[in-house]
């Protein structure tokens, strides 16, 4: 569906010596309806290959999910870590934090436009804005993000107790609804240092 069509995506990691940060963003083809955008940060270099994936998850891979409601605003942003056995008998993870047999919820954030300093946030543009790269929405002028068409966020990896490790690959994805196990609709992959 058009509301789940990603056109571009990016990710970047930074460290100031004592803390590490992860920033990410994407643009969408159209902003109507409810949808979900997610970013996976893989440690294994996972990539699409022949209709599947060459190598998928390692413990500690990071998933960030943001729900779009009412055509483009963000209602929640959640951070998860991949755990091989979240519910397992030998696991030290609190089962209340397991939202899936392999996903531990780490944190919940809010919109970056709030005044509170947070370890995780994301936002979308609230008004039309020029695109720094070639972009064409389904409706509107060329090279202009319509309100809700551009999404970006960031994490303080250190404050959240996460580790990027040898993370080199990201996958931006959209899903059909605001559920962790909703059907994947579109994705864009990339690498970063």
């Amino acid at each position: 569906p058009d509301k789940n069509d990603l056109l571009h995506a990016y990710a970047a990691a930074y460290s100031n010596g004592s803390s590490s940060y992860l920033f990410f963003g994407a643009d969408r083809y159209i902003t109507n309806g409810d949808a979900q955008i997610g970013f996976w940060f893989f440690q294994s270099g996972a990539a699409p290959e022949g209709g599947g994936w060459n190598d998928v998850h390692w413990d500690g891979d990071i998933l960030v999910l943001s729900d779009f409601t009412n055509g483009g605003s963000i209602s929640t942003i959640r951070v998860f870590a991949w755990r091989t056995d979240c519910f397992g008998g030998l696991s030290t993870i609190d089962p209340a934090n397991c939202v899936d047999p392999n996903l531990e919820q780490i944190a919940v954030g809010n919109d970056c436009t709030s005044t509170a300093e947070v370890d995780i946030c994301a936002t979308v543009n609230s008004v039309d804005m020029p695109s720094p790269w070639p972009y064409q929405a389904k409706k509107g002028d060329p090279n202009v993000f319509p309100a809700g068409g551009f999404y970006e966020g960031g994490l303080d990896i250190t404050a959240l107790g996460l580790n990027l490790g040898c993370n080199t690959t990201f996958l931006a994805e959209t899903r059909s609804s605001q559920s962790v196990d909703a059907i994947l609709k579109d994705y864009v992959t990339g690498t970063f240092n």
Side-chain angles (χ1 to χ4, degrees), residues 81-96:
W82 181 268
R83 306 293 184 210
T84 303
D85 190 13
C86 203
F87 291 121
L90 300 177
S91 177
T92 59
I93 299 166
D94 181 350

Side-chain angles (χ1 to χ4, degrees), residues 6 9 14 26 34 65 109 136 182 192:
L6 292 174
Y14 299 94
D34 290 357
L65 293 178
Q136 179 61 61
F192 62 97

Side-chain angles (χ1 to χ4, degrees), residues 42-125:
F42 298 112
Q43 299 172 79
S44 66
E49 183 178 276
W53 292 87
N54 63 348
D55 190 9
V56 183
H57 292 292
W58 290 2
D59 275 2
D61 285 353
I62 299 167
L63 172 62
V64 179
L65 293 178
S66 291
D67 299 337
F68 290 122
T69 56
N70 300 321
S73 62
I74 295 173
S75 59
T76 59
I77 177 170
R78 298 171 288 162
V79 178
F80 304 90
W82 181 268
R83 306 293 184 210
T84 303
D85 190 13
C86 203
F87 291 121
L90 300 177
S91 177
T92 59
I93 299 166
D94 181 350
N97 293 334
C98 294
V99 297
D100 179 89
N102 297 111
L103 284 178
E104 176 190 14
Q105 184 167 303
I106 303 297
V108 177
N110 54 21
D111 197 292
C112 295
T113 59
S114 72
T115 57
E117 187 172 322
V118 294
D119 299 328
I120 172 178
C121 70
T123 194
V124 294
N125 57 311

